[in-house]
Amino acid sequence: MRTEVARRGAEVPGIEADLRSLQAFPQLLDLLGSAFASAHRRAAGNRSEDALIVSCRREVKEERLCGDGSAVGALPRSREHVVHARTTTIQADRSKVEDGIARVRDQVFPAVTAMDGCAGMSLLVDRESGRCIATTSWESEAAMLASAEQVKPLRTGAEQSFGATSSEVATWEVAVMHRDHASPEGACARVTWLSGDQGLADRAADVYRTLILPTLQEWDGFCSANLMISRESGRIVGTVTFETRAHLEATREAAKDLRQRASERLNAAVDDVAEMDVAMAHLHVPELV
């Protein structure tokens, strides 16, 4: 066929160059075929890599939902993402604190974390005073509000196990969350409540990031810190976790000085301070700084 095209083309003046290009066309097809095959192989390889990425992302999400909330590998999110929390404070019979911990660990925790939008749960206890604080974290305010009726029977059961007849419930936004490392067995926490005007919540987040958190990170035994805010009530609560009770006690004076400086900066009143044992650390709140 190429010979016939060349013969006829020679009879038409001015197309010899075109004929030479046409005669080279089979070689061009061969080159295009090789390039197509190479691209196909790369595409197949990319599909395998994409599948691996998807698999890894699923594993990270699963760890966030089922692993220890104090783990450093929590799913990172942007600062604009708002995590909500509900705290339930129970004044327990001191002789029944261990029974209450077992009830929360074995029954309440599995049930509440199975609810839509629940990220995790933590439990702090003061075995001397009997005060216990259970905190659940939620991926959105809507999810937290939707669970209100579902958690009531769980709360009632926990109250009974702790030897209490009532509890105090509050809702919050998690404004700051930072983990240096996971909380070990025997970890303790210092919880500080402050109150002020309705603008306190917004001021507190900035002061916590710029003044409080950098100081806390320098203390021996520091594990993690978080700040929760209530815009409507003008209340905030900060929690700092330490590896051991000895580390917590060693920072008492420094913490007192830091509270005074922070409250003056915020024009807020320190309402209460508690030192508590970390009974459960599965809150699963992402890094928010």
Side-chain angles (χ1 to χ4, degrees):
M1 179 178 178
R2 290 196 297 268
T3 303
E4 179 64 18
V5 170
R7 185 185 63 80
R8 293 184 179 179
E11 298 174 356
V12 182
I15 67 167
E16 289 85 358
D18 292 338
L19 281 174
R20 286 193 296 270
S21 298
L22 183 59
Q23 290 168 356
F25 189 67
Q27 289 84 352
L28 179 60
L29 287 177
D30 291 340
L31 290 173
L32 289 174
S34 299
F36 177 80
S38 177
H40 180 73
R41 287 192 297 271
R42 287 197 301 271
N46 288 339
R47 284 194 295 272
S48 298
E49 292 173 1
D50 291 343
L52 178 59
I53 292 171
V54 170
S55 175
C56 290
R57 286 173 178 166
R58 287 175 180 168
E59 289 174 6
V60 169
K61 182 178 181 181
E62 184 68 19
E63 181 184 13
R64 182 177 68 87
L65 294 176
C66 301
D68 189 330
S70 61
V72 177
L75 183 67
R77 297 184 182 181
S78 65
R79 186 179 297 176
E80 289 75 14
H81 184 89
V82 179
V83 178
H84 290 262
R86 179 191 291 119
T87 56
T88 300
T89 303
I90 298 175
Q91 186 58 49
D93 181 334
R94 289 183 297 175
S95 66
K96 295 186 175 181
V97 169
E98 298 305 325
D99 293 339
I101 292 174
R103 176 69 174 255
V104 172
R105 181 188 63 236
D106 300 337
Q107 298 184 40
V108 177
F109 174 67
V112 75
T113 53
M115 296 178 186
D116 289 343
C118 182
M121 183 177 185
S122 69
L123 177 64
L124 304 178
V125 301
D126 184 342
R127 290 177 168 85
E128 293 185 3
S129 70
R131 176 157 59 172
C132 305
I133 305 174
T135 304
T136 52
S137 56
W138 302 85
E139 296 178 354
S140 67
E141 184 178 20
M144 180 178 67
L145 296 176
S147 70
E149 292 300 318
Q150 292 177 278
V151 301
K152 283 184 177 180
L154 299 174
R155 185 181 300 124
T156 300
E159 291 170 358
Q160 293 172 352
S161 295
F162 278 114
T165 57
S166 64
S167 58
E168 178 185 345
V169 180
T171 57
W172 312 84
E173 290 180 25
V174 183
V176 181
M177 168 61 76
H178 173 66
R179 295 181 184 86
D180 183 81
H181 58 275
S183 303
E185 189 75 21
C188 293
R190 180 179 293 113
V191 188
T192 305
W193 291 265
L194 297 92
S195 61
D197 56 41
Q198 289 191 338
L200 173 62
D202 291 323
R203 297 196 305 274
D206 289 335
V207 171
Y208 202 88
R209 293 187 185 101
T210 59
L211 171 65
I212 299 176
L213 191 56
T215 303
L216 297 177
Q217 290 176 288
E218 297 299 318
W219 292 356
D220 289 342
F222 170 78
C223 294
S224 63
N226 69 73
L227 174 72
M228 299 193 298
I229 62 176
S230 172
R231 299 180 189 278
E232 294 181 358
S233 66
R235 298 171 61 219
I236 63 175
V237 55
T239 303
V240 187
T241 304
F242 296 89
E243 293 175 357
T244 66
R245 179 161 290 276
H247 285 115
L248 180 144
E249 293 175 351
T251 62
R252 280 177 181 164
E253 289 303 315
K256 182 179 179 180
D257 177 68
L258 185 59
R259 281 196 302 273
Q260 182 176 349
R261 287 191 290 142
S263 62
E264 291 175 354
R265 177 82 66 86
L266 292 168
N267 191 27
V270 178
D271 297 327
D272 197 6
V273 180
E275 294 181 348
M276 313 182 77
D277 298 323
V278 179
M280 288 177 50
H282 305 286
L283 202 55
H284 298 296
V285 174
E287 187 82 0
L288 297 169
V289 292

